[in-house]
Every structure is written in structure tokens, then in C-alpha cells.
Amino acid sequence: MQFALFHLPRKTLAAALLAIACAHPAWALTSFEDVKREFRSSDTAVLDRNGELLQRVRTDPSVRRGQWTALADVSPALRTAMVLSEDRRFYEHSGIDWRAVSAAAWGNLWNTRTRGASTITMQLSGLLDDELRRNSGGRSFTQKIGQTVAAAQLERNWRKDQILEAYLNTVPFRGEIVGIDALSRTLFGKAPSGLDTREAAVASALVRAPNAKPNVVAQRACEVLRAMEPQQKVDCEALDMFTSAAVQRRAFEANEGIAPHAARRVLREIRDADAGTASTAPTPARPQSGKEKDREATVSTTLRAPLQRFALDTLQRHLRELRDRHVEDGALVVLDNATGEVLAWVGSSGPLSQAAEVDGVTALRQPGSTLKPLLYGQAIAERRITAASLIEDSSAQISTASGLYIPQNYDRRFKGPVSARTALAASLNVPAVRTLVMVSPESFARELRAAGLPLRESGDYYGYSLALGSAEVSLLSLTNAYRMLANGGRYGTTTMMARATAPAASTDKSKAVTNTNNQPLLDPRAAFIVGDILSDPNARTRTFGLDSILSTRFWSAVKTGTSKDMRDNWAVGWSQRYTVGVWVGNASGESMWDVSGTSGAAPVWAEVMRFLHAREPSRAPAPPPGLVEARVEFGPGTDGSPLEAARSEWFLQGTEQPLFALDTGMASDAAFARITAPSDGTIIAVDPDIPPLRQRVRFESEGRGVQWRIDGKHFARGNTAQWLPWPGRHVIELVDATGKVVDQRRIEVRGAGVVQKSARR
């Protein structure tokens, strides 16, 4: 700083300064502790329930500040370089370097270039007081006088080390970078304590010319380096190359940590709460102790850092194993059953993903068969079925306004009559659709919305495909709906922000904050039966086998699901204390290759569950009042053997019965032959989301010794046949043993474009 009046004698100038200072109000002087306390990083640290850092998020886009750095944590080389560059007699003067002032005044008088008279203390006074801050046109005469007076006051009230520390933390360096911590981490990728002499010289040169071209900064840095190491030869050319690389580097990431999506979610909830748009959001708990934390904006969450780290590592490792099956994305969430607190939130696979910014925990995807437990729970609660009720798993052709809906099982096979327990545990599609016919799509949709699932359309819009997960839901809402089942049918909201009313570090269940939003939604007896079915390894044998990855050494209930064309794969389940939801797929919506319910999300779910219960038991829930356990037997099938083995089964009181058998009045050996399916005039629409070669129309008939003809050509023998639908109008004929046509149906198949597309593949 070069004052126009500084060519006056020193005593005269001092008297002038004193007169000006007395004629104006005293400039406000803050204490060193106040400056430290009011310092705010441009980042917000998102912490777990125990205060461990999860994620650091850039929340101030206007400036880039790091953490306040104590002078002892700044490298000696940087301290030396800064003093040599900006204020050689810093430790000798009392705020104003009169020798530098005289030199500046003499230079102004003779129009020659001098170093300038602004001391570190004077610069700091301008940084601390907005009225003294330099603008684009420079400081006014009054500002210069005020800066000088403020510097003298600082020197009287602060120690030299405090002045230098505050200066290093508040001085602008380059662009948006303010303070030595942000500079060190951005340009050099290290903490201020690790800066060497070369890096220190570049840093100090940036104070003098923060936005100069790299070669200008390098020239200045070379001068500083020569002053620091006068006995050594300085390679200014090499320093020029180093400076050019450093000033272009941006190593200090805007976000870093292991929970980016969770951090953004909780900060958004806080902003909404501050704006008054989320009145139910609790006030975030902020640590009140610790010098480092006091200087950084922090938000405490309910997450557990060790669990978050394990979940992220497990998901990424498993997705690497699935890379050759065209799988790159995944998400995971862990909820505390009692409180609704989010314990882990992994929004994506990170570097493995082409869309790492997409939060898979909140993204809407088709849940496949994971809606079935909620459907069967509703049907049981409404006493439409019991866990032992027999449901036909055979070809179903359900008439709808747009044509026939023909559901298929995952393996394209039918099991015949099965109990509801087997149908749900083995994830059979046709029995689920038959169950939805009993409940109705609209009634089921209302229950799903009540359970927090964000259905965009009415139940009638989705139709019977709703039983197989045609609606889109988020992983968070689906996992929380399963938490409702774990809590005996009581629904409550989730939270990720630590409440100030409870110790955030508490992991003991007895100290957890109970979610007060719990509302009765499903009959607790029905919820218990659904959990009992999903925890039964024997019931899922028909689809998953005896040695399934879904079986755990502790009590747990789990359901998998796969959406159309293998776009999404899910595993959601609960133990005594936790509910875990996992999704794998592709954020782009592209199909996976050969990923089943047990090879996609289920292995990740199982590993996380094992981690949670490594030292914590999980016991089966106690049956609620009003349940009856009774012995049941099953009648014979077509081969004469029992449809299912006798067992003990749970019933809502009043629905129990000892025997479940087929209705013999529906025998198929009638005296005359006739076609029972499809109906005459049926219109069949080829589903574009199912490979055409896997779509079949089932023909059914009564009578003995019959055979089928399609458009006059022999097709098959027997009472049932599977036909690959071909676009056009067709005549189906049932022929007896003598070749006489005894019945016929006319049908139409639509969807030629889909079949042709498949043929080209």
C-alpha cells in the first residue's frame, strides 16, 4: 500500500493519523478468538451418530475455504516464505512498517517501482473489516487511514503469532480459494503442514498476484525462493513448469467421503426445514465440543460409519463380480426397526457406475415380486385366504379391458395347486395374480399408498400386473414397507437426522428414540404370518432349493424380486432389529444378463445381515394374540399323493381347518370333450417387454383322447397344450380319437412388430 501523503516527515504524518483517527469513530476491533469462532468452512461435515466423518460437502459455492489451521500446523517453510514475501520486518514493527512507508513515499515522489508499505497486520485489518476491504478501484484515502489505525489496534491487542495465523486463514489466494488449508489441498493435494520450500514460495507469490498468469506467479515465486535459500542455486525454469501445473490443479474435491447421497439428502432436508417446507424435519444435532468441530459446520446423522463403509465395500465388490453380466449400479439401505433411523445409505456403486450421481435409494424402479408379501398380508388380513389355502398355479387367462392378461412364472413352469405359503415363499406369479383378483387392484393400491409406496396411478391403471410389481417404487419406501411388516403391521416414517433429544452416539436399543409416527396399518397377525412364511427355508425350496443364500443362521425373513427383462433385481428383508433393502441393476434401465433372485441383490443382503448380527442375536417374534397354530393335511393331487406334506400352520382365529383338498367337482374327465380355454373371440396381445419366444398361450380341454389343430394343421395331443402366439386370426379345433372336430375357438393375436423384431435378433 502506497499512501500519497507518506512523503511527509514521520512525526508530522503520525500527528495527522492521530488527528484523523480521533475525528472519526473508532473502527470495530474483534478478538482473535472471535475471528476463529466466526470462521466458516465452505464445506459442511456430515457425521455419523458417533461423530465420525461420513462426508464433506461443498455448501458455499461463492468461496472455497478449508478448515481453520493453527499456526503450529503450518509448515515452517510457508511461514518463512509468507513473511519474506509480504512483510520482512513483521516481527519488528508495531503494525506499520515506517521504513517501508518512507521507501514507498520516496518511490511515489520519483515515480519509481518499490515493494509497497502494506504490512501483514494492515492486510489482515482490511480482511476483517468490510468497510476497509479493498475494491476493484483500490482503497480510498479514508480506508487507507482506517486500515492503518486498525493495524495499530490489532498489534496492541493480539500477539504476532495470532496475527500471522489469522492472516494465513483469511487471505485470498487464487480465484475462489481463501485460506491456506484450501490452497494447500487444492493446488498441492496436501495439508498445510506438508508444504515444502518450493510449494511455499508459489503459495506466497499468489498473495501478491492471486490471478496473474502462471509465468508471472513463477517469476515472483523464484524471487521468494532465492530469498529463502540464498546459498543455493534456484532453477527458475523448473519452478515455472511446477507453478503452471500447480495453479491448474483442483485436487480438493467438492465432495469426499463414503456417503455422498445420504449427505446431500440430509442437507436438503435441513434447507427445506429452514424454508418452512418440511415442518416435520427435526433440527440437526451439532457437536458442541472439540476445537476442530467448532470451526466447521457439522450435521449429525443416524448413520453408522462402520456399517456404511462395510455396506459400500460389499456392494462394490459384488458388482465387480457381476460386471460380465452387464450390471454396474446398486443401492442399499439399512433401517432400525424400532426407530425408523437410517443406519446405512448407499446410493450408488460410485466409480463403477456411469451415473454415480443418481441416488438408487430414492430412484423409482419396478419392484417385481417384492410386492407379493404386502399382497398376501392384505389377503390374509381380509380372511380371503390362509397360509394353507390352495391356489392354482396353472395357466391363467384373465380378461381385461385391453385383452387377456396371461401371467407367467419366472421359470415358465407351473406347479399345479400349491398352498399360499409355498406360493409366496417360492415366488410363484400366477397364484399372486389369482390372489390379487380376490383383493382387487384398486384395494391393493390403496394399501400400498398407506404403506408409503409412491404409486403414481390408480390400481385399475396397473391392473393385475400390480401383483408382479408393475408400479414404480423407491428402495427406501419399499424397505420401510417391509419394516412395517417387521413391526407387526405398524407403519412409521424414516429419519436420517440425529435428534437432539437423544444421545446420537447411542447404539443400545433400549436408548433408541422410538418413532412416534407408528400407525396401525396391517393386522399384526397377518404381518406375523407373512414373516413366518418368508423365514421358512422349506417353503421356498421349490424355487430356491434347500441350500439357498437367503437362509441365515439367525432368524430373518426375506423376499427377492426381478422386474421385466431383468432391469432390476431386489432383496428386501428383516431380522429382529434391522430391515435391509438392496437393489442392483443399471441406472440407465438397461437389462442385466442372466441375473437371478439369488445371484443379484441377495448375496449383498446376506452379507450385510451377517455383519449386523455378528455379535447380536436375532430371534423369531412372538405370535400376537388371536393367532392359532393347528395341524393341517393336504388332499391328494392328480397322481394320488398329497399335494403338500402335513405340517403345523398359523391361522387367524376362526379360519383354521384340518384339511385342504381340491374341489372334486371340477374333475376334467367329463363325458364329452370341449375346449375350456381360451374363450371364443379372445384377443391376445403380445407383451413387448417379454421375449416373444417365451410367451405361450395355454390350451385346455375336457375329455379323453383328444388332439389339437390350429388353422387345420395338427398341433398337439392331450388335454393341455402350449402354443407360441403368432400374429393374425386363428381357428383352434379340438378333435376326438376318430378325427371329428368336437369344439372350436376363434382367436386373434396382435403384436406382429414385436415378433419380427425378435426374429431379427
Side-chain angles (χ1 to χ4, degrees):
M1 178 169 56
Q2 301 176 1
F3 289 174
L5 297 181
F6 281 179
H7 62 278
L8 297 174
R10 184 180 300 179
K11 291 183 179 180
T12 304
L13 180 59
L17 291 175
L18 180 60
I20 294 174
C22 293
H24 293 273
W27 282 273
L29 179 64
T30 184
S31 69
F32 174 72
E33 293 300 328
D34 288 340
V35 172
K36 256 200 334 184
R37 187 163 44 249
E38 293 173 4
F39 179 87
R40 288 291 177 267
S41 169
S42 60
D43 302 336
T44 296
V46 179
L47 312 176
D48 84 335
R49 64 199 302 120
N50 297 319
E52 183 175 344
L53 179 66
L54 288 169
Q55 190 77 24
R56 185 169 279 112
V57 182
R58 174 80 174 270
T59 50
D60 186 349
S62 64
V63 72
R64 189 56 160 140
R65 289 193 190 93
Q67 305 306 304
W68 182 278
T69 304
L71 190 60
D73 295 328
V74 177
S75 72
L78 180 59
R79 283 178 272 167
T80 301
M82 199 63 68
V83 171
L84 286 174
S85 173
E86 294 301 306
D87 192 354
R88 290 176 180 269
R89 284 176 289 277
F90 171 70
Y91 291 102
E92 302 170 13
H93 62 67
S94 298
I96 304 171
D97 186 352
W98 294 107
R99 290 170 57 184
V101 166
S102 299
W106 187 259
N108 284 341
L109 181 63
W110 294 101
N111 210 17
T112 59
R113 181 177 178 273
T114 62
R115 176 183 171 276
S118 179
T119 65
I120 287 178
T121 312
M122 293 170 68
Q123 293 181 50
L124 177 61
S125 66
L127 295 172
L128 298 182
D129 192 332
D130 290 338
E131 294 184 2
L132 302 179
R133 194 173 298 275
R134 181 187 181 94
N135 55 37
S136 58
R139 289 186 177 89
S140 66
F141 178 76
T142 304
Q143 283 181 312
K144 293 177 181 179
I145 298 299
Q147 185 184 28
T148 305
V149 174
Q153 291 176 330
L154 277 175
E155 290 281 351
R156 284 197 298 270
N157 293 277
W158 291 24
R159 302 191 308 269
K160 287 287 187 179
D161 61 320
Q162 292 177 330
I163 293 172
L164 185 57
E165 180 176 321
Y167 176 74
L168 291 173
N169 281 282
T170 57
V171 66
F173 281 96
R174 187 174 186 84
E176 63 178 1
I177 301 173
V178 173
I180 192 58
D181 186 61
L183 176 80
S184 300
R185 297 183 188 278
T186 302
L187 268 59
F188 308 117
K190 60 176 66 175
S193 59
L195 297 183
D196 58 25
T197 54
R198 183 174 60 172
E199 293 162 340
V202 173
S204 63
L206 287 170
V207 175
R208 184 68 60 85
N211 296 311
K213 294 181 179 180
N215 64 318
V216 176
V217 177
Q219 292 173 5
R220 174 62 184 157
C222 190
E223 297 175 7
V224 175
L225 197 57
R226 284 182 177 134
M228 295 174 65
E229 300 176 341
Q231 306 300 324
Q232 298 185 19
K233 183 178 180 180
V234 177
D235 187 346
C236 292
E237 185 175 344
L239 185 59
D240 189 305
M241 296 175 60
F242 173 78
T243 303
S244 297
V247 297
Q248 297 176 32
R249 186 176 179 184
R250 291 295 181 268
F252 198 3
E253 297 295 336
N255 297 284
E256 55 181 353
I258 58 174
H261 300 88
R264 286 199 292 268
R265 169 85 174 196
V266 81
L267 292 174
R268 185 166 58 250
E269 289 183 7
I270 292 174
R271 287 195 299 270
D272 291 344
D274 292 341
T277 60
S279 58
T280 58
T283 302
R286 298 177 182 271
Q288 298 299 318
S289 61
K291 294 181 179 179
E292 189 68 22
K293 293 177 184 177
D294 285 342
R295 293 192 295 271
E296 179 181 28
T298 60
V299 173
S300 293
T301 69
T302 60
L303 273 65
R304 297 181 185 173
L307 174 62
Q308 176 76 13
R309 194 172 294 108
F310 177 85
L312 177 61
D313 292 344
T314 301
L315 181 65
Q316 290 179 341
R317 172 168 46 80
H318 184 62
L319 289 177
R320 289 189 184 97
E321 296 172 359
L322 293 177
R323 187 174 294 172
D324 60 345
R325 300 191 190 184
H326 197 233
V327 185
E328 67 175 30
D329 291 302
L332 184 151
V333 66
V334 180
L335 304 177
D336 185 290
N337 291 341
T339 66
E341 293 176 338
V342 178
L343 305 179
W345 180 304
V346 181
S348 81
S349 59
L352 304 179
S353 173
Q354 297 292 325
E357 294 301 309
V358 176
D359 190 347
V361 175
T362 57
L364 298 180
R365 313 285 298 197
Q366 288 190 338
S369 294
T370 55
L371 293 187
K372 291 176 183 175
L374 303 171
L375 171 62
Y376 280 91
Q378 181 178 350
I380 293 172
E382 295 176 356
R383 296 176 178 253
R384 299 181 185 277
I385 62 172
T386 71
S389 296
L390 292 174
I391 308 174
E392 185 69 25
D393 181 29
S394 61
S395 178
Q397 301 181 11
I398 303 172
S399 297
T400 67
S402 57
L404 284 183
Y405 177 61
I406 307 176
Q408 299 284 342
N409 285 326
Y410 180 80
D411 58 2
R412 303 292 167 182
R413 298 177 181 177
F414 298 106
K415 309 298 190 296
V418 294
S419 69
R421 174 177 289 270
T422 299
L424 173 56
S427 196
L428 303 179
N429 287 347
V430 177
V433 173
R434 295 186 189 276
T435 302
L436 183 56
V437 171
M438 293 183 257
V439 172
S440 86
E442 187 57 40
S443 176
F444 183 42
R446 285 196 299 269
E447 290 295 310
L448 293 179
R449 290 192 189 91
L453 298 176
L455 271 63
R456 294 176 172 176
E457 307 291 345
S458 67
D460 292 336
Y461 173 87
Y462 299 110
Y464 297 111
S465 65
L466 186 58
L468 309 183
S470 60
E472 292 183 331
V473 302
S474 69
L475 177 62
L476 179 64
S477 63
L478 181 63
T479 306
N480 194 43
Y482 272 59
R483 187 176 74 90
M484 178 270 294
L485 296 173
N487 285 336
R490 298 183 68 85
Y491 171 78
T493 58
T494 63
T495 182
M496 195 164 32
M497 290 190 288
R499 292 176 172 85
T501 54
S506 173
T507 57
D508 185 278
K509 187 176 181 182
S510 62
K511 298 179 182 178
V513 181
T514 302
N515 192 320
T516 58
N517 294 327
N518 284 347
Q519 299 293 332
L521 180 62
L522 180 67
D523 189 321
R525 299 171 296 176
F528 175 89
I529 292 174
V530 169
D532 188 67
I533 293 173
L534 296 182
S535 65
D536 184 356
N538 293 322
R540 67 171 74 103
T541 302
R542 291 199 180 189
T543 298
F544 299 99
L546 286 172
D547 187 22
S548 170
I549 195 170
L550 301 177
S551 300
T552 58
R553 293 174 180 253
F554 46 88
W555 186 91
S556 64
V558 60
K559 183 73 185 70
T560 62
T562 305
S563 66
K564 287 184 180 181
D565 278 354
M566 293 187 181
R567 293 189 180 98
D568 311 278
N569 188 257
W570 310 73
V572 189
W574 69 93
S575 62
Q576 183 180 10
R577 181 169 179 191
Y578 306 103
T579 300
V580 178
V582 182
W583 166 83
V584 299
N586 295 298
S588 63
E590 295 183 14
S591 298
M592 300 174 285
W593 301 337
D594 192 27
V595 176
S596 67
T598 56
S599 65
V604 179
W605 179 89
E607 283 199 49
V608 172
M609 270 295 187
R610 283 196 294 270
F611 179 85
L612 288 166
H613 291 285
R615 295 180 180 83
E616 186 174 354
S618 177
R619 300 179 179 88
L627 271 182
V628 175
E629 187 176 17
R631 180 80 174 173
V632 297
E633 295 183 356
F634 296 89
T638 56
D639 60 356
S641 60
L643 291 169
E644 294 190 11
R647 63 174 182 260
S648 292
E649 189 58 88
W650 291 101
F651 298 91
L652 273 66
Q653 192 169 21
T655 64
E656 66 272 16
Q657 63 185 70
L659 177 65
F660 290 83
L662 294 175
D663 183 358
T664 56
M666 297 297 293
S668 60
D669 55 350
F672 58 92
R674 68 186 181 92
I675 298 174
T676 57
S679 303
D680 192 37
T682 294
I683 298 175
I684 299 170
V686 177
D687 191 336
D689 288 325
I690 299 176
L693 295 179
R694 295 193 177 185
Q695 298 188 65
R696 295 290 189 273
V697 177
R698 184 177 175 88
F699 297 162
E700 297 180 352
S701 69
E702 296 177 345
R704 296 173 182 263
V706 296
Q707 55 184 314
W708 299 89
R709 289 196 311 212
I710 300 178
D711 299 330
K713 297 180 181 179
H714 174 77
F715 173 65
R717 296 180 183 273
N719 291 106
T720 62
Q722 299 277 351
W723 177 63
L724 174 65
W726 189 254
R729 292 183 174 88
H730 306 279
V731 178
I732 303 169
E733 298 173 320
L734 188 67
V735 183
D736 65 12
T738 66
K740 179 183 177 181
V741 176
V742 295
D743 201 5
Q744 72 174 17
R745 298 286 187 271
R746 296 180 182 275
I747 65 173
E748 180 181 355
V749 179
R750 298 176 181 175
V754 177
V755 175
Q756 292 169 2
K757 182 179 179 181
S758 176
R760 287 196 300 270
R761 292 179 183 173

